Amino acid sequence: MTEPALPKCPVTTRLYEGGRVVAEGFGAVEAAKKLDEHPDAVLWMDLLDPDEADLQAIAPAFALHPLAVEDAVHDHQRPKLDRYSNHLFMNVYAVQVTTGGPVPTMDKWEISSFITDRALITVRKSDVDITGVLKRWDADPELAKNSGVAFLVYGLLDVVVDGQFAAARALDEAMDKTEDAILEVGGAPRPVRMYGFGLRKALAHLRRPVAPMPSLIEEVLRLEVGLVDDRLKPYYRDVDDHARRATETLDASRDRIIGLLDADLNEQSNALNDITRKLAAWAAIIAVPTALTGWFGQNVPFWGYEKVSGFVASVFLILVSGGSLYVYLKRRGWL
């Protein structure tokens, strides 16, 4: 293994042997020497927002494929697992949602990884917090003792998928809180409707990094990849179960919010129809006295012309006709 050059981006390193950290904080140049000095150890190296020159500096030491290096540098790669002759390349997204604002929002951070026989090299394209991953690695030294790089990959996937599942559940719980408001009589208030549209948008955005994860984990578990042994397979199956549950939660939530928004639209249509009927009914009632007063107000003689009896008769006809029409429309449910 040739000695790597020195990347200019921030680099974090740890060396694990027997499931425990035996060295950390050393530079990229020392990484190859540490692996030579500890034949049973595995390396974790993290690079924060490197450019192509930074990755090219370590590529010869770990035999990284040029296409994988290119994918690690460019943003917005899809979640995937690519196999090369000397290593695997994995791309995943850590996510977080916020449901307390006027509309839900989602943030995501891209994490690329080179997986070799003795090293996990992660590339963070933004400053995402990875303390959860470190805690997961340190939590079970016995499991990590003889599992090599596969344990490091498991810890990374476990934290990422748990975050995705938590985000899916947060959106689903936010939908529970807004469901009653959306289904109010006469349609939901505008802020509630806008929150519902925000939920639908957040679900669509979250599904893009979450939906491919079951296939990615299934690819990791395949025998021809040769990464996961029988001891770790149950743990990877647990991660796979969480990934599938996250996808199912998102799909169910998406169908649910679409149904709620459609129901709200139907309720608004029904309320509009009620208002239209009421306006038409009152217009009909108002038309009756208008017609009668117009008749009695003609400038030609008629029964009761210029007499009190004519005024009384007109008022009586207005009250009886208008009242009768009101009662009729009320019974028909138009008022």
Side-chain angles (χ1 to χ4, degrees):
M1 183 178 292
T2 61
E3 185 176 294
L6 182 63
K8 296 180 181 179
C9 66
V11 178
T12 306
T13 53
R14 275 189 172 191
L15 192 71
Y16 289 87
E17 186 172 14
R20 301 184 183 278
V21 179
V22 295
E24 61 181 325
F26 49 88
V29 174
E30 303 175 59
K33 294 180 181 179
K34 292 289 185 182
L35 288 175
D36 291 339
E37 293 170 0
H38 301 267
D40 296 327
V42 293
L43 169 72
W44 170 61
M45 181 187 298
D46 177 74
L47 294 87
L48 177 58
D49 195 23
D51 56 23
E52 191 166 356
D54 292 328
L55 290 178
Q56 291 293 352
I58 66 170
F62 298 96
L64 304 182
H65 196 280
L67 291 177
V69 170
E70 182 180 349
D71 285 347
V73 172
H74 292 91
D75 295 343
H76 309 301
Q77 300 291 320
R78 64 181 177 84
K80 63 179 180 178
L81 182 72
D82 291 336
R83 285 181 283 176
Y84 297 95
S85 58
N86 296 315
H87 66 87
L88 301 173
F89 176 79
M90 183 173 69
N91 203 72
V92 296
Y93 286 87
V95 301
Q96 184 179 21
V97 298
T98 303
T99 59
V103 293
T105 58
M106 189 200 81
D107 297 310
K108 65 178 181 179
W109 301 272
E110 190 172 1
I111 303 175
S112 300
S113 305
F114 301 94
I115 306 168
T116 71
D117 291 339
R118 297 186 60 196
L120 171 65
I121 304 171
T122 55
V123 176
R124 290 181 291 154
K125 300 179 181 181
S126 57
D127 194 10
V128 56
D129 185 14
I130 58 170
T131 55
V133 179
L134 301 182
K135 290 179 181 178
R136 183 66 192 87
W137 287 339
D138 296 339
D140 196 348
E142 288 302 317
L143 181 62
K145 189 173 184 179
N146 299 311
S147 301
V149 174
F151 177 78
L152 299 181
V153 177
Y154 158 69
L156 174 62
L157 288 174
D158 188 40
V159 172
V160 167
V161 170
D162 281 351
Q164 294 176 350
F165 185 41
R169 290 188 61 183
L171 291 178
D172 190 61
E173 290 172 0
M175 199 179 308
D176 289 337
K177 297 177 182 179
T178 57
E179 184 173 9
D180 292 338
I182 288 179
L183 296 179
E184 283 184 354
V185 177
R190 189 175 188 278
V192 176
R193 289 202 308 275
M194 296 307 297
Y195 193 87
F197 289 129
L199 275 173
R200 186 175 64 181
K201 184 177 180 180
L203 287 167
H205 287 177
L206 182 58
R207 196 179 188 282
R208 291 169 191 156
V210 172
M213 291 304 294
S215 298
L216 186 151
I217 298 169
E218 184 178 350
E219 183 72 15
V220 173
L221 281 167
R222 288 183 180 175
L223 293 175
E224 58 266 28
V225 174
L227 178 65
V228 184
D229 58 20
D230 292 338
R231 187 163 174 256
L232 274 180
K233 278 186 178 179
Y235 296 91
Y236 273 85
R237 293 294 183 193
D238 181 66
V239 177
D240 178 65
D241 177 65
H242 287 181
R244 294 182 186 278
R245 287 172 62 190
T247 303
E248 291 169 359
T249 300
L250 287 177
D251 290 341
S253 298
R254 183 181 59 178
D255 294 341
R256 185 178 169 196
I257 191 61
I258 291 174
L260 287 174
L261 292 175
D262 287 344
D264 177 64
L265 182 60
N266 292 334
E267 182 62 26
Q268 292 182 59
S269 298
N270 292 336
L272 180 61
N273 290 337
D274 289 340
I275 293 172
T276 303
R277 286 199 303 269
K278 290 178 181 180
L279 290 175
W282 282 113
I285 294 172
I286 293 172
V288 171
T290 302
L292 290 173
T293 53
W295 165 258
F296 279 90
Q298 295 181 89
N299 294 321
V300 294
F302 55 88
W303 179 82
Y305 182 70
E306 293 185 346
K307 295 180 180 180
V308 175
S309 60
F311 172 75
V312 173
S314 65
V315 171
F316 177 76
L317 288 172
I318 289 172
L319 293 176
V320 172
S321 301
S324 300
L325 185 57
Y326 175 84
V327 172
Y328 172 76
L329 293 174
K330 188 73 172 178
R331 290 179 176 177
R332 292 291 302 271
W334 283 49
L335 291 173

